[in-house]
DNA sequence: CCCGCTTATCTTGTATACCTGTTCTGGCGT
DNA sequence: ACGCCAGAACAGGTATACAAGATAAGCGGG
């Protein structure tokens, strides 16, 4: 039973982190009671947390059926990347300079990313690779867009899972490091270019695989899953039910 | 008693619209029971709606005291404008072209804005002037950023109210119309410039008034209010209480 | 043996009850 | 008369109860 400051905001945060860490497949179902049991609280809190995530577009609710991790469509995924490029490149181009403190923070973050490779922790790695972008936005002084980026990085992760457009983690890390180096040099325009390229390599891959038809979907779904259960609170979610219209709420 | 599809998303939407229409001052208090009475539902729904708004950063909750329309600080206001410029200019620069249908939609929106001037409806006017930016983002094919812009336009309105940085509505409208004309000509880069200028005139004004000290705050507060009560659901909110630490949630 | 219908169970949707912290008000003391 | 303290009223925080819809299981007919 996961504890510690059980407000609905905490629960939402926890779920968001897990999402960013890639612990839930798109389309996974979140049962209110299961989550309540896991977090040791009542359904009320869970519902509030899920409502928060819903408002941020990370989960959908299908009436009387449950909450489902969003299944980003290909078009939406393109939009996500477009949005990220606009925001992240925009922030870099808009910034005047990077404070020494921010540079230190970024260095520390890079170090954490690096460390996550030695420890074999795919979840943490995924989380940090996404979180870097949020951290960068914060360091550049725009916490509003940083917050938006949190949602977008999560959706990126989900889109990547869905379309299996894996970007090599090592490569991502190297590009992150490169960006930070450029920032140390103070060349924000160059950093913006590097960021644009960094994001570009993602969606190129994303657009490569052919459109997903129901046959390939089936074939893929029926592949044996040799991946073991991953983590504590992964266990509480049943895999997605047959699927039904789920409405996305504000 | 306001009715019609009383889901929490609807209520949140309604509140957001009212916020964008400038019907609530920053710092206004939303009483759960009052809202429940107004919407003819239970506190549960109201809480859910407010939770949604809270997740989008439009209201804060002060524990055991209530929900308050966010009071954007000057620094946050600057961030809002920076974010808007990054997003809106970015979208325009990123777009390839504008579809005829989108142009029609924009024309229609301009027409509605124009109409709102003849009818003397300040709320509707404020709403439409903000909504135009959202509409534009949607027309340019990025509904994700359009959604983010909804929050940002609301915060812009709130910041403007707080710092009394009124931008002349007629001027805003003219600039909107100009932008749409440029889009008709197909010059997206020029449109981006126009948008940048459009947003620029706002925050210039915003930065002009000096920092607000408690004395001027009092003097201002004690001015006689000759403005009559505006609309139905404005009546349900008590003016802000003395103020206390309100924490902003995710 | 398979398909369709009915019934049971499970899960969410919504309201409400109760608890707790905050604010307001009245009384007391200085 | 002012300020402080205590009690009451009020509002939000949380859990729970009950209703309604959806899924799954069981049963009967073709």
């Amino acid at each position: 039973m996961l504890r510690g400051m059980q407000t609905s905001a905490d629960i939402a945060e926890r779920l968001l982190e897990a999402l960013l860490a890639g612990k839930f497949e798109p389309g996974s179902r979140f049962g209110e009671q299961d989550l309540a049991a896991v977090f040791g609280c009542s359904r009320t809190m869970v519902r509030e947390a899920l409502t928060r995530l819903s408002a941020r577009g990370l989960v959908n609710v299908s009436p009387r059926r449950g909450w489902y991790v969003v299944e980003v469509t290909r078009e939406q995924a393109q939009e996500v990347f477009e949005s990220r490029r606009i925001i992240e490149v925009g922030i870099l181009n808009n910034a005047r300079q990077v404070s020494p403190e921010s540079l230190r923070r970024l260095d520390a973050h890079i170090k954490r990313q690096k460390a996550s490779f030695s420890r074999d922790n795919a979840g943490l790695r995924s989380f940090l690779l996404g979180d870097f972008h949020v951290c960068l936005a914060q360091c550049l002084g725009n916490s509003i867009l940083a917050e938006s980026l949190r949602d977008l990085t999560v959706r990126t992760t989900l889109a990547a899972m869905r379309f299996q457009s894996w970007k090599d983690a090592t490569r991502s890390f190297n590009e992150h490091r490169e960006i930070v180096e450029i920032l140390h040099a103070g060349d924000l325009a160059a950093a913006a270019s590097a960021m644009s390229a960094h994001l570009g390599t993602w969606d190129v891959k994303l657009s490569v695989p052919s459109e997903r038809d129901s046959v390939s979907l089936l074939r893929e779904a029926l592949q044996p899953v040799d991946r073991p259960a991953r983590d504590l609170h992964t266990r509480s979610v049943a895999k997605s039910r047959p699927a039904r219209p789920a409405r996305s709420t504000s």
Side-chain angles (χ1 to χ4, degrees), chain A residues 53-113:
Chain A
L53 293 182
S54 162
R56 302 172 72 168
L58 269 23
V59 300
N60 287 329
V61 53
S62 180
R64 304 269 174 198
R65 279 172 32 90
W67 304 78
Y68 295 86
V69 177
V70 297
E71 300 184 83
V72 190
T73 67
R74 192 172 299 275
E75 294 73 34
Q76 288 171 333
Q78 287 296 355
E79 262 189 42
V80 167
F81 277 107
E82 187 184 323
S83 304
R84 287 190 62 174
R85 181 159 21 220
I86 288 172
I87 290 177
E88 305 201 42
V89 173
I91 289 182
L92 282 165
N93 279 326
N94 209 62
R96 294 262 168 274
Q97 57 175 357
V98 192
S99 74
E101 189 197 332
S102 294
L103 287 173
R104 255 182 282 120
R105 220 176 121 196
L106 288 169
D107 286 336
H109 202 289
I110 290 287
K111 199 174 285 183
R112 284 182 69 196
Q113 287 175 48

Side-chain angles (χ1 to χ4, degrees), chain A residues 2-19 24 30 32 35-53 56 233:
Chain A
L2 300 171
R3 285 211 164 274
M5 283 283 292
Q6 233 62 293
T7 77
S8 68
D10 295 326
I11 297 176
E13 191 62 25
R14 207 65 166 264
L15 287 171
L16 189 142
E17 285 172 12
L19 249 19
F24 299 112
F30 286 135
E32 294 184 5
L35 286 174
V38 169
F39 285 103
C41 61
S42 78
R43 279 177 49 219
T44 308
M45 307 298 293
V46 171
R47 274 186 75 82
E48 216 171 293
L50 289 170
T51 301
R52 284 184 144 82
L53 293 182
R56 302 172 72 168
H233 45 302

